[in-house]
Amino acid sequence: MERAAPGEVRMSRAISPAHANPRGELSAGQLLKWVDAAACLAAEKHAGVSCVTASVDDIRFEETAKVGQVLTIKAKVTRAFSTSMEISIKVIVQDMFTGVEKLVSVAFSTFVAKPIGKEKINLKPVILLTEQDHVEHNLASERRKVRLHHEDTFKNLMKENSKFNDPICDEGMVSTSGTSVQSIELVLPPHANHHGNTFGGQIMAWMETVATISASRLCGAHPLLKSVDMFKFRGPSTVGDRLVFNAIVNNTFQTCVEVGVRVEAFDCQEWSEGRGRHINSAFLIYNAVNDKEELVTFPRIKPMSKDDLRRYRGAIARKRIRLGRKYVISHKEEVPLCVHWDVTNQVSLSNANVEALKNLAARSGWEVTSVVEKIKIYTLEENDILSVWVEKHVERPAHLTYHLLSDFTKRPLWDPHYVSCEVIDCVSEDDQIYYITCPVVNGDKPKDLVVLVSRRRPLKDGNTYTVAVKSVTLPSVPPSPQYSRSEILCAGFLIHAIDSSSCTVSYFNQISASISPYFAGNLGGWSKSIEETAASCIQFIENATDDGLIDIF
């Protein structure tokens, strides 16, 4: 393993049976303890004074670690603000027999520096040594904006969700009443940190325990912690406090379940009076596997009370925020997947392009995330791949809409994500290759793409037009240093005729890492860019003049 970078704190731990869960894997609670300790040490190394945890968010668990393996936790301050810092944490596991290393978890913590006496804290800036340091420094600012606007975003999404119809109670839906768990812990000296308060990592570990019990009561299988929405520390607790943990399932989403945990602290007097302090809350997301190590599909939830419905809708809002936040978490290097354009195999490549779009549209599990007048937005998560479906109702005939949308040179007229779009190869009547440039996002270089657009009119007795899009590589259009070459995995339009004067336009996009910044804000609920682009598309189609349409034929 390479040497630690300047300013980075590393913690190494050998995993013993005492650290493991019943499956012989490192328990998530134990890992959270180590993560919090490493992050605190990184914060104090930068600040030079004592620091306390404000929040831990965007925790993702990618792999499990087993007894006998060695864990390395890397913690580093990515950006310092006036009195707070963001710490990036990466957890690597190494198998001692093979030497193979795997990424176990990533997380981001916010720590606040504690002033000494009346001295005012003003943290020094982080020294940026590498290109990755600069990238993380810029992304830290974006993540901070997301955190600061989280409450307002959540409230707005809850208002939107209240417009949706209440869940229809079908056979097989279950109540969450049986998943309620309460536990109490007495804070003892070994549970305290070096400031004399209850160690944040210990609180998170206790919260994970009750959440795991709650999830297991719903699935009857082995719950596996997949991610944590946020551990938010609202206030301190000290040695002698009684901490009461309450956990309950809020909602399920096919193979994952959200469990909410609330923590209240009581000193002796508060305990006798039944008057606690709300010091922490978190939302933990689990998968579950059966005895054959297969993912379990959770039953759908049936809200039985107003509070059940509030928590049910809250989970939907948080899931949407997570979707957006997920793509502001880190700067992923994309592995190119686009195919090389081969003129000798153009028919096969074109047909594969169209079939991929139809297969994406036909998948099950699409969930509504937004409804605005003529526009509906759906999302689909499969194996860490996110897809978006935007459905629009257009008051123009399907064949005219098809001709307008299949001509990508017109796309910059209505889509602000496209700066220019030019044909570089007319392969056939139904297939063209375009070179596209896109605007700057998040201060990065502008992006460009080379895409194959394959068009299909309906077969006999059909009424659906298809416009499929996929990135290809052409030796004649190599990447330019002025642009960041991006990729479209699978995208396009399905245009379905309703009657002779109107149609439904469905736009699909399987989001790649390079284009995710254009979607992140909207998916997270702090932007309306997709709705605004869809509305612009509708206006463009419905306002197109007959002369403009005649030119297309």
Side-chain angles (χ1 to χ4, degrees):
M1 189 174 285
E2 76 280 4
R3 295 180 61 184
E8 183 180 78
V9 167
R10 291 196 176 184
M11 178 183 289
S12 296
R13 292 286 184 269
I15 304 170
S16 70
H19 304 137
N21 61 21
R23 290 166 52 84
E25 299 167 347
L26 174 65
S27 76
Q30 180 61 65
L31 178 56
L32 290 169
K33 287 186 191 179
W34 289 339
V35 161
D36 191 54
C40 181
L41 293 172
E44 293 181 344
K45 183 176 184 179
H46 179 81
V49 295
S50 296
C51 298
V52 294
T53 314
S55 66
V56 186
D57 54 20
D58 294 316
I59 308 173
R60 302 196 321 274
F61 297 90
E62 309 286 354
E63 289 279 348
T64 57
K66 298 180 180 179
V67 171
Q69 295 179 325
V70 172
L71 213 66
T72 300
I73 302 169
K74 305 177 184 180
K76 185 178 180 181
V77 176
T78 55
R79 187 161 187 159
F81 303 95
S82 55
T83 60
S84 66
M85 296 155 283
E86 182 195 81
I87 292 85
S88 167
I89 304 119
K90 289 185 179 180
V91 184
I92 308 293
V93 67
Q94 183 181 41
D95 188 285
M96 291 294 92
F97 293 99
T98 64
V100 173
E101 295 180 354
K102 292 183 179 180
L103 177 67
V104 171
S105 180
V106 294
F108 293 90
S109 290
T110 301
F111 275 75
V112 176
K114 292 179 68 176
I116 301 172
K118 295 183 179 179
E119 181 182 345
K120 188 175 181 181
I121 293 289
N122 193 5
L123 294 170
K124 63 185 179 184
V126 175
I127 298 174
L128 308 176
L129 300 176
T130 67
E131 183 180 348
Q132 186 62 27
D133 288 344
H134 285 274
V135 169
E136 288 296 341
H137 187 262
N138 292 332
L139 287 172
S141 180
E142 295 299 316
R143 289 187 288 261
R144 185 170 186 258
K145 290 177 185 176
V146 173
R147 294 182 190 106
L148 293 176
H149 292 99
H150 181 273
E151 292 298 328
D152 289 338
T153 302
F154 179 75
K155 289 176 183 177
N156 291 335
L157 289 177
M158 286 295 281
K159 287 180 182 178
E160 282 189 25
N161 288 347
S162 66
K163 300 174 185 176
F164 293 178
N165 293 328
D166 291 344
I168 299 172
C169 293
D170 296 328
E171 187 178 347
M173 297 179 72
V174 298
S175 166
T176 62
S177 59
T179 68
S180 178
V181 178
Q182 185 176 91
S183 184
I184 185 170
E185 298 287 348
L186 176 63
V187 181
L188 300 172
H191 303 139
N193 60 22
H194 53 307
H195 310 308
N197 294 327
T198 312
F199 175 40
Q202 179 63 71
I203 295 175
M204 291 191 290
W206 282 331
M207 294 175 78
E208 189 272 334
T209 298
V210 294
T212 299
I213 296 170
S214 177
S216 66
R217 288 182 174 176
L218 181 70
C219 65
H222 305 289
L224 305 175
L225 186 59
K226 188 65 178 174
S227 64
V228 180
D229 190 86
M230 180 182 290
F231 286 107
K232 189 169 184 179
F233 292 82
R234 300 173 180 270
S237 66
T238 59
V239 172
D241 278 348
R242 289 83 174 156
L243 303 188
V244 176
F245 299 80
N246 285 288
I248 192 169
V249 166
N250 291 329
N251 207 341
T252 60
F253 304 96
Q254 296 188 28
T255 59
C256 65
V257 56
E258 182 195 274
V259 180
V261 185
R262 177 186 173 97
V263 186
E264 292 183 316
F266 301 77
D267 60 24
C268 283
Q269 185 174 351
E270 291 167 339
W271 186 243
S272 65
E273 296 173 354
R275 177 174 48 87
R277 293 167 277 126
H278 181 196
I279 64 164
N280 209 326
S281 57
F283 301 94
L284 297 85
I285 295 84
Y286 288 85
N287 294 139
V289 294
N290 58 24
D291 292 335
K292 297 180 181 179
E293 297 296 310
E294 299 168 333
L295 277 178
V296 171
T297 298
F298 289 94
R300 291 181 61 205
I301 297 302
K302 177 170 64 176
M304 303 296 289
S305 66
K306 287 185 178 180
D307 188 57
D308 286 349
L309 188 58
R310 175 188 61 79
R311 292 185 292 100
Y312 178 96
R313 288 175 171 166
I316 295 172
R318 281 185 293 273
K319 182 171 189 265
R320 181 170 171 185
I321 293 172
R322 282 195 298 274
L323 284 177
R325 205 166 60 198
K326 181 177 182 180
Y327 297 98
V328 188
I329 289 174
S330 60
H331 186 77
K332 288 187 177 179
E333 293 295 329
E334 186 161 42
V335 178
L337 297 173
C338 52
V339 297
H340 177 73
W341 176 250
D342 181 0
V343 69
T344 63
N345 199 28
Q346 64 185 46
V347 173
S348 175
L349 293 174
S350 173
N351 289 338
N353 191 16
V354 172
E355 285 306 308
L357 176 63
K358 291 181 177 179
N359 289 338
L360 177 60
R363 288 176 187 165
S364 60
W366 289 97
E367 296 177 348
V368 178
T369 60
S370 177
V371 179
V372 180
E373 296 181 352
K374 294 181 177 181
I375 303 162
K376 267 187 185 178
I377 299 175
Y378 303 78
T379 57
L380 173 68
E381 274 194 294
E382 291 180 316
N383 299 323
D384 225 20
I385 297 174
L386 176 67
S387 301
V388 174
W389 166 18
V390 185
E391 185 180 80
K392 301 164 281 196
H393 180 81
V394 179
E395 296 294 338
R396 290 306 289 265
H399 68 283
L400 298 181
T401 300
Y402 164 72
H403 284 290
L404 285 168
L405 294 181
S406 63
D407 181 1
F408 268 47
T409 62
K410 297 184 181 296
R411 188 146 177 177
L413 297 176
W414 59 267
D415 191 342
H417 304 108
Y418 282 54
V419 173
S420 66
C421 194
E422 59 177 300
V423 178
I424 56 176
D425 191 350
C426 288
V427 178
S428 68
E429 181 183 353
D430 291 327
D431 296 281
Q432 293 179 320
I433 297 177
Y434 289 83
Y435 175 69
I436 299 166
T437 61
C438 305
V440 172
V441 176
N442 295 340
D444 292 337
K445 287 194 295 186
K447 300 180 184 298
D448 67 350
L449 307 106
V450 178
V451 301
L452 168 67
V453 176
S454 304
R455 307 180 296 182
R456 298 289 189 275
R457 293 171 179 81
L459 298 174
K460 187 178 180 181
D461 300 327
N463 60 353
T464 299
Y465 295 80
T466 303
V467 182
V469 186
K470 177 179 175 57
S471 286
V472 293
T473 58
L474 279 180
S476 60
V477 191
S480 164
Q482 295 177 317
Y483 292 92
S484 173
R485 180 57 54 90
S486 299
E487 180 176 16
I488 292 177
L489 302 176
C490 175
F493 300 94
L494 295 180
I495 303 160
H496 180 79
I498 298 174
D499 52 38
S500 60
S501 61
S502 65
C503 63
T504 298
V505 177
S506 291
Y507 172 72
F508 296 88
N509 198 318
Q510 190 177 79
I511 299 176
S512 63
S514 58
I515 66 171
S516 62
Y518 297 102
F519 290 89
N522 188 277
L523 296 173
W526 57 88
S527 166
K528 293 291 182 183
S529 61
I530 297 180
E531 288 93 340
E532 290 166 358
T533 301
S536 176
C537 178
I538 293 171
Q539 185 178 25
F540 167 74
I541 296 169
E542 293 183 345
N543 291 346
T545 63
D546 291 340
D547 291 341
L549 290 170
I550 291 171
D551 291 340
I552 299 171
F553 295 108

